[in-house]
Amino acid sequence: MSEDHNEQDAPFANDAIDTLNAALEQLQAENTALKEQALRYAAEAENVKRRAEREMNDARAFAIQRFSRDLLGVADVLQRALQAVPAQIEDPAFKNFVSGIEMTEKELAGAFEKNGVKKIAPLKGDKFDPNFHQAVMEQPSTEVEGGSVLMVMQAGYELFGRTIRPAMVVTAAKSASAANGAYNGGDSASGGTINTQA
């Protein structure tokens, strides 16, 4: 009788094992999905943390940008004052005054340097870069090639690689002969002649 009982229970046992295996597979799949989701959330939280740190560092670094931009006018005035000083100074009081202006200008330049503000002063012949230079005027020149800096009218400044004021420059004009060369040819195929007979 126990054999009959075992034979009758065998199909139920197989069904129970299949059900348990299916439930186990389902739980393992859910476990894997939850682990992946937890890893994604952890990665997202780490990205948010890094982004917040980077933004905080940028805010700290560039907090002085507005203040330093306001001081650029002071640096310009001191520079112009020193450029206006005559070569020979006889009066000792005036000589001391000029020395004071020079020391003030050096101190301001040192404060700029200490805080990451660097002067942009391109040399004659440097290639014009619109990221750091602002072309105020264009003049024909045989000294430098066209599109290069001919003269600096006002120095520019950058703060940690970010331009806070571009250098105002005069650029050398690109040669007019190269620009007009396409129109000066006598080739009739390029429109060099006009048929006036109608």
Side-chain angles (χ1 to χ4, degrees), residues 73-180:
V74 176
D76 292 338
V77 169
L78 289 172
Q79 191 91 35
R80 282 189 216 110
L82 290 174
Q83 289 172 350
V85 173
Q88 295 293 339
I89 302 173
E90 301 295 326
D91 186 12
F94 187 62
K95 203 178 249 187
N96 287 339
F97 179 73
V98 170
S99 293
I101 292 176
E102 287 173 347
M103 291 187 326
T104 304
E105 197 264 340
K106 284 179 186 173
E107 190 68 28
L108 183 61
F112 278 166
E113 190 70 31
K114 192 182 341 178
N115 288 290
V117 179
K118 294 182 182 172
K119 193 178 223 178
I120 302 172
L123 300 173
K124 186 176 193 175
D126 283 355
K127 194 76 176 155
F128 176 79
D129 184 353
N131 296 315
F132 300 109
H133 309 144
Q134 179 180 353
V136 178
M137 191 174 8
E138 189 176 58
Q139 289 181 347
S141 173
T142 56
E143 299 174 32
V144 297
E145 89 177 46
S148 297
V149 174
L150 190 59
M151 180 176 61
V152 177
M153 295 183 77
Q154 184 180 48
Y157 290 88
E158 65 179 339
L159 177 63
F160 299 119
R162 184 186 291 179
T163 304
I164 55 176
R165 184 179 81 186
M168 292 187 190
V169 298
V170 176
T171 58
K174 295 187 175 151
S175 65
S177 61
N180 293 333

